[in-house]
Amino acid sequence: MREGMMSKKRRYSSEVVDGVSKAPARAMLRATGFEKQDFSKPQVGIASTWSMVTPCNMHINELADHACSGVDADGGKGVIFNTITISDGIANGTEGMKYSLVSREVITDSIETVAACQGFDGLVTIGGCDKNMPACVIAMARLNRPSIFVYGGTIKPGANHTDIVSVFEAVGQHAKGDIELIDVEKIEKTAIPGAGSCGGMYTANTMASAIEALGLSLPGSSAQEAISQDKRVDCEAAGKAVVRLIEEGIRPSDIMTREAFENAITVTIALGGSTNAVLHLLAMANTVNVDLSLDDFTRLGQKVPVLADLRPSGQYMMSELVAIGGIQPLMKRLLDAGLLHGDCLTVTGKTLAENLEEVEDYPDHQDIIRPFDNPIKQTSHLVVLKGNVSPTGAVAKISGKEGTQFTGRARVFHSEEEALQAILDGKIVKGDVIVIRYEGPKGGPGMREMLSPTSAVMGRGLGNDVALITDGRFSGGSHGFVVGHVTPEAMDGGPIAIIEDGDTISINADDMSIDVDLTQAEMNQRLSQWQQPEPRYKRGVLAKYANTVISAAEGAVTDQDLKL
């Protein structure tokens, strides 16, 4: 009986280390610290995204050690391995940013490669920045072995309540003449005080919250500071929990149901989360063959309000939400309001409703999370727009503060750099619709974030006076009247490819439309003369990505329906 149970718990590692023929494998592992008794334990890979590339991940090596200790304490054998990460905050506005979304696929592939090769029976993945977090989840889903995701945690605020977006916007303020260069330097020196992910409800904190709502993290994991005892305890608990998941045979496919994804979308909306959540949740759902589409964001967005007054469009930071209880009380409120599926299984082995049973509400007089009768916005800030500019959908981030409609004249740019320079030089004026194209998944390639242009727009005080549309995407820190993920993208001959300077573009978040004032005949004429540009990269990872990636409307994944 016990031998059968052990074999079940060691479904993969037994193939690697059992029997006399596997003596060479055991010899290799002994050199890494394995003792005789370890070969009879389930092996758990600890995928660490530690790197000194970015403050978001520079502490994760210590967190990986704590997760490994948790695995070892509960009868498993933890094995730590690394994967890469990149920094959006550092690469933004440069050619290097084209590798950002691409890194999601590289990280996914690397975790899958190591875990499958080494025969790990379970996984703990620890992520701390925009792309490595969904990459961890996609890898867990591909492998479909008992797994838990741990968030690396949020950063503390900088001096004077600043963060990384404060620095980006200071550049625009300097260009406008509002602040001196010495003031930019002061903000630069103090905005990032240490380890942890960017401090607003930007993409990292959005994805951490969505993944917890999905059921793949332990309760509370998404709302902890990076350098804290709570985060260390969370890692050890995750290590112990994955051993229990192995014993019970609970896999990601048991947790990542359509209803669980609806929970993740609902929490993302209530928090006022990043547009990148749309891209990543679509990609994650694709991996487990859950039928999720842009239309689901629209459907749920009609009944879920924005309740969190968090940056970038709000005033508070994630660390302040952590201090009043994180997202658990919000999820309890959403559940009580009938907006969450409480019967979804989670990595605790319990349902979401069971996890929330003992959660206490927020303290009185807090104003970070609004009540349902006084929301920030009655419906979702994530608005899927369709029209003759974007027949298959674009994603707008409309907080309501910038209005819900905009009509203006097109100012067309073929790259982020061109647009940014025009903004900084004062060539963008009230009434302009900035169009940045050939920045999509294939066209960039890599679908760069437009944080530098959107921050420059805000810094120059044009946030309510201009709009920006792109087949690229936005940082979670972007705000203003912005529309990204325009599909089909320009490189595929989408209508955004034939917009010209001076064309009138109308964006209407109320009826969810985005149109250019051209007849179909005029559009057909322009499209007949359009020629696809030469690929910007013909070798290397960017070329491989461009050749395999699918539309942003489907998550921009690279492993769907590969033809050999």
Side-chain angles (χ1 to χ4, degrees):
M1 175 72 174
R2 178 169 173 73
E3 202 171 297
M5 285 290 293
M6 186 59 70
S7 176
K8 184 178 178 182
K9 292 197 302 184
R10 298 179 54 247
R11 177 178 173 185
Y12 301 98
S13 62
S14 61
E15 296 180 7
V16 176
V17 299
D18 286 6
V20 66
S21 66
K22 300 302 189 294
R26 294 194 297 274
M28 297 283 283
L29 289 169
R30 286 178 186 274
T32 71
F34 270 63
E35 302 288 346
K36 181 177 181 180
Q37 63 271 21
D38 293 328
F39 295 117
S40 60
K41 299 175 181 177
Q43 292 184 32
V44 175
I46 314 292
S48 167
T49 57
W50 170 82
S51 174
M52 291 305 290
V53 164
T54 168
C56 306
N57 294 66
M58 68 186 196
H59 63 301
I60 286 179
N61 55 342
E62 179 190 350
L63 300 185
D65 287 338
H66 284 287
C68 194
S69 295
V71 171
D72 293 347
D74 262 32
K77 175 59 179 175
V79 181
I80 299 173
F81 66 97
N82 258 86
T83 183
I84 66 160
T85 193
I86 56 89
S87 172
D88 293 352
I90 294 170
N92 248 300
T94 73
E95 189 75 0
M97 189 62 187
K98 292 180 177 179
Y99 290 88
S100 172
L101 186 59
V102 176
S103 76
R104 186 188 73 183
E105 308 304 299
V106 176
I107 295 164
T108 299
D109 290 348
S110 69
I111 294 174
E112 177 193 358
T113 299
V114 174
C117 177
Q118 297 299 123
F120 295 140
D121 301 297
L123 275 177
V124 176
T125 62
I126 311 174
C129 199
D130 299 22
K131 309 308 164 305
N132 59 56
M133 298 167 67
C136 285
V137 172
I138 295 170
M140 288 159 54
R142 281 190 197 171
L143 290 158
N144 202 27
R145 303 175 189 188
S147 305
I148 288 183
F149 174 79
V150 177
Y151 178 42
T154 190
I155 198 171
K156 295 178 183 292
N160 300 313
H161 214 240
T162 52
D163 61 13
I164 184 60
V165 176
S166 307
V167 190
F168 277 97
E169 293 185 358
V171 175
Q173 292 170 324
H174 175 65
K176 187 183 177 186
D178 285 352
I179 64 174
E180 299 295 328
L181 187 60
I182 191 169
D183 296 313
V184 177
E185 186 176 359
K186 285 178 182 176
I187 297 171
E188 171 194 331
K189 286 181 175 179
T190 59
I192 312 295
S197 298
C198 301
M201 189 47 65
Y202 310 144
T203 305
N205 283 315
T206 298
M207 290 314 303
S209 302
I211 293 167
E212 180 177 331
L214 190 62
L216 290 174
S217 295
L218 292 177
S221 182
S222 68
Q224 295 166 336
E225 289 188 338
I227 306 302
S228 66
Q229 181 61 19
D230 285 344
K231 182 48 64 184
R232 290 187 283 270
V233 169
D234 179 44
C235 290
E236 292 192 18
K240 294 178 179 181
V242 78
V243 177
R244 293 196 297 274
L245 291 178
I246 292 171
E247 291 172 348
E248 295 171 19
I250 297 174
R251 301 174 299 163
S253 60
D254 300 316
I255 294 170
M256 298 172 72
T257 62
R258 179 176 173 81
E259 290 75 19
F261 277 101
E262 291 187 352
N263 287 344
I265 294 171
T266 295
V267 169
T268 296
I269 293 170
L271 289 169
S274 166
T275 55
N276 281 317
V278 178
L279 193 71
H280 297 321
L281 287 170
L282 289 173
M284 290 152 60
N286 179 288
T287 308
V288 286
N289 295 314
V290 166
D291 183 17
L292 196 71
S293 73
L294 290 175
D295 291 339
D296 291 305
F297 288 84
T298 297
R299 176 176 54 82
L300 292 169
Q302 295 303 305
K303 61 180 183 178
V304 180
V306 179
L307 299 173
D309 189 13
L310 295 167
R311 291 188 180 187
S313 56
Q315 60 180 316
Y316 292 103
M317 299 179 77
M318 189 65 182
S319 58
E320 293 167 295
L321 180 59
V322 170
I324 64 166
I327 74 165
Q328 289 277 296
L330 171 62
M331 290 174 65
K332 180 73 176 295
R333 290 184 179 185
L334 292 167
L335 178 68
D336 291 344
L339 294 173
L340 291 180
H341 301 284
D343 57 350
C344 289
L345 183 66
T346 74
V347 290
T348 64
K350 300 178 181 179
T351 65
L352 182 72
E354 288 172 329
N355 290 342
L356 294 173
E357 276 180 4
E358 304 300 322
V359 172
E360 296 182 2
D361 197 21
Y362 293 113
D364 293 337
H365 310 303
Q366 64 82 29
D367 58 357
I368 301 175
I369 302 296
R370 297 276 192 89
F372 285 100
D373 60 2
N374 182 30
I376 301 291
K377 191 171 181 287
Q378 193 65 51
T379 56
S380 178
H381 63 302
L382 299 175
V383 183
V384 177
L385 307 175
K386 293 184 180 180
N388 67 2
V389 170
S390 185
T392 53
V395 181
K397 188 177 186 181
I398 308 294
S399 72
K401 296 180 179 179
E402 58 286 281
T404 58
Q405 299 180 30
F406 194 98
T407 297
R409 58 194 168 273
R411 292 293 310 279
V412 181
F413 303 94
H414 284 199
S415 72
E416 177 186 6
E417 289 87 350
E418 291 178 24
L420 177 61
Q421 197 58 55
I423 297 165
L424 294 176
D425 289 345
K427 295 179 180 178
I428 300 299
V429 297
K430 183 176 181 178
D432 284 345
V433 177
I434 303 164
V435 179
I436 307 177
R437 64 190 179 201
Y438 296 108
E439 289 286 5
K442 294 180 183 177
M447 205 180 183
R448 285 192 288 185
E449 290 180 351
M450 302 294 131
L451 180 57
S452 292
T454 58
S455 296
V457 164
M458 299 305 294
R460 289 194 70 89
L462 292 169
N464 294 321
D465 299 322
V466 303
L468 189 155
I469 72 171
T470 179
D471 55 5
R473 60 194 175 88
F474 295 112
S475 162
S478 292
H479 55 129
F481 209 104
V482 296
V483 182
H485 307 200
V486 171
T487 60
E489 63 172 287
M491 196 67 171
D492 280 337
I496 192 173
I498 52 91
I499 294 173
E500 297 177 358
D501 280 341
D503 286 345
T504 299
I505 296 175
S506 297
I507 306 163
N508 189 325
D510 294 322
D511 66 11
M512 296 179 287
S513 65
I514 179 167
D515 292 289
V516 59
D517 189 17
L518 296 171
T519 66
Q520 191 59 54
E522 289 171 319
M523 295 185 72
N524 290 342
Q525 173 63 22
R526 290 188 189 182
L527 283 168
S528 70
Q529 297 174 344
W530 175 80
Q531 291 185 332
Q532 186 182 62
E534 282 287 309
R536 288 173 170 161
Y537 290 84
K538 297 184 179 180
R539 298 292 295 270
V541 67
L542 292 181
K544 287 193 288 185
Y545 181 84
N547 283 332
T548 56
V549 71
I550 63 174
S551 170
E554 300 173 273
V557 297
T558 58
D559 67 339
Q560 177 168 302
D561 296 329
L562 290 181
K563 302 294 192 295
L564 299 179

